[in-house]
Structures are given as structure tokens and as C-alpha cells.
Amino acid sequence: MKVFRLVSALVVALMLVTGCDFFRSIMGKPTSKDLERMRQEALEQERRQRIQDSVDRARQLELEKAMKEEQQADLLDESAGRYHVILGSFKVEGNAEKMFALLGKNGYTPHRIRFNNGFDVVSVAVYDDYRDALRAMNDIMEYEFCPEDVWIYDIRQNLHVKRQ
């Protein structure tokens, strides 16, 4: 019994003198210095990630702003002419973009007009004279990519959203 008390007292004294780091190092576990270093590294990594997230978000906002400005530039320029030959009216903006791209691919300079009711229409040509617009509409209807519901929009109807 005396031996057990002596060994217990030595173990307690050794723990009080050397602390947990001694035993942790014997067992192959990280010591308090190692844990503090890992905590500092994690904090630094988190800080770097926050900075990168901020930079990524700023780039995303800049890209969204540029795309919005580009879309606004694609919208109706009222000084271009009065009569627009419209090839499509779309509630889904992606569909309007597809038509816009198709016309550009076929050599036209299309225009997008946003209506007050939320529809986007795609114009293939703009004219100051109604007869010219009518001729262009009849000509474009001969092409395979042209839909059947082509029409002419007069900007004096004021159904569209005005440019800022």
C-alpha cells in the first residue's frame, strides 16, 4: 500500500510540475504551443478567405453592373427611328437574348425594347417611314428564321420604357 501511495504521489507531483504538455508530447498529441499555432493559422486562413470573398463579390457586382449597362445600351434608342419591325415579344428575358443573338448572327443590328408590361421585344430594323418598315417586314418574312407573327411598332404609341 505504501508503494501505491508513493507512486501516486510521484505521478501527481510530476503532473503538477510538468503540466499536460509533457504527457501530450509523449502520446504524440499536439502541445499547447502547437494548438495555439494551429489556431493562429486557422484565423489567418479565415481572414484571407474573407478578403477573397470580398474581392470576388466586388468583381461580381462590377460584372453585373457592366452587363446591366450593356443591356440598357441594347434597349431602344428613340433617335434611331420611329417604326420598328418586331420579330418577337418575350416575357422571359433569356428568350429575348436568344432572338437578339440569332439576328446578330444573321447580319442584322437588332434592338431590344422593354415594354411597360414587362415584355421585351426584339426589333430587326428601324425606319422613319412606315412604308419602308412595311417593305422590310415583308422582306424579312421570307427568311427561314423569321417567326410568323412579325409586326411594326410605332414608338409614338409610348408602350415602351423610356431610357434614363
Side-chain angles (χ1 to χ4, degrees), residues 52-99:
Q52 185 61 44
D53 290 346
S54 295
V55 168
D56 290 346
R57 181 65 183 147
R59 285 182 183 153
Q60 180 67 26
L61 289 173
E62 188 176 307
L63 181 62
E64 288 172 5
K65 182 181 176 185
M67 288 176 63
K68 189 172 185 176
E69 288 173 359
E70 183 178 315
Q71 286 176 346
Q72 286 295 328
D74 290 342
L75 291 176
L76 175 65
D77 178 10
E78 293 184 22
S79 65
R82 178 176 172 183
Y83 301 101
H84 289 259
V85 179
I86 305 296
L87 287 191
S89 176
F90 306 96
K91 188 69 171 179
V92 177
E93 189 173 333
N95 293 339
E97 291 171 4
K98 287 178 188 175
M99 177 61 84

Side-chain angles (χ1 to χ4, degrees), residues 7-8 28 30 61 72 74-75 97 109-110 112 115 120 123 126 128 130 140 144 155:
V7 170
S8 297
L61 289 173
Q72 286 295 328
D74 290 342
L75 291 176
E97 291 171 4
T109 306
R112 280 185 42 216
F115 278 12
D120 282 340
S123 165
V126 183
D128 287 320
Y130 182 77
I140 194 122
E144 187 175 308
I155 63 170

Side-chain angles (χ1 to χ4, degrees), residues 87-88 90 94-112 122-124 140 143-147:
L87 287 191
F90 306 96
N95 293 339
E97 291 171 4
K98 287 178 188 175
M99 177 61 84
F100 194 89
L102 176 68
L103 292 173
K105 189 173 75 171
N106 283 298
Y108 291 96
T109 306
H111 300 276
R112 280 185 42 216
V122 179
S123 165
V124 69
I140 194 122
Y143 291 102
E144 187 175 308
F145 66 85
C146 182

Side-chain angles (χ1 to χ4, degrees), residues 8-19 22-23:
S8 297
L10 283 174
V11 168
V12 169
L14 187 61
M15 286 177 70
L16 289 174
V17 174
T18 61
F22 173 74
F23 292 108

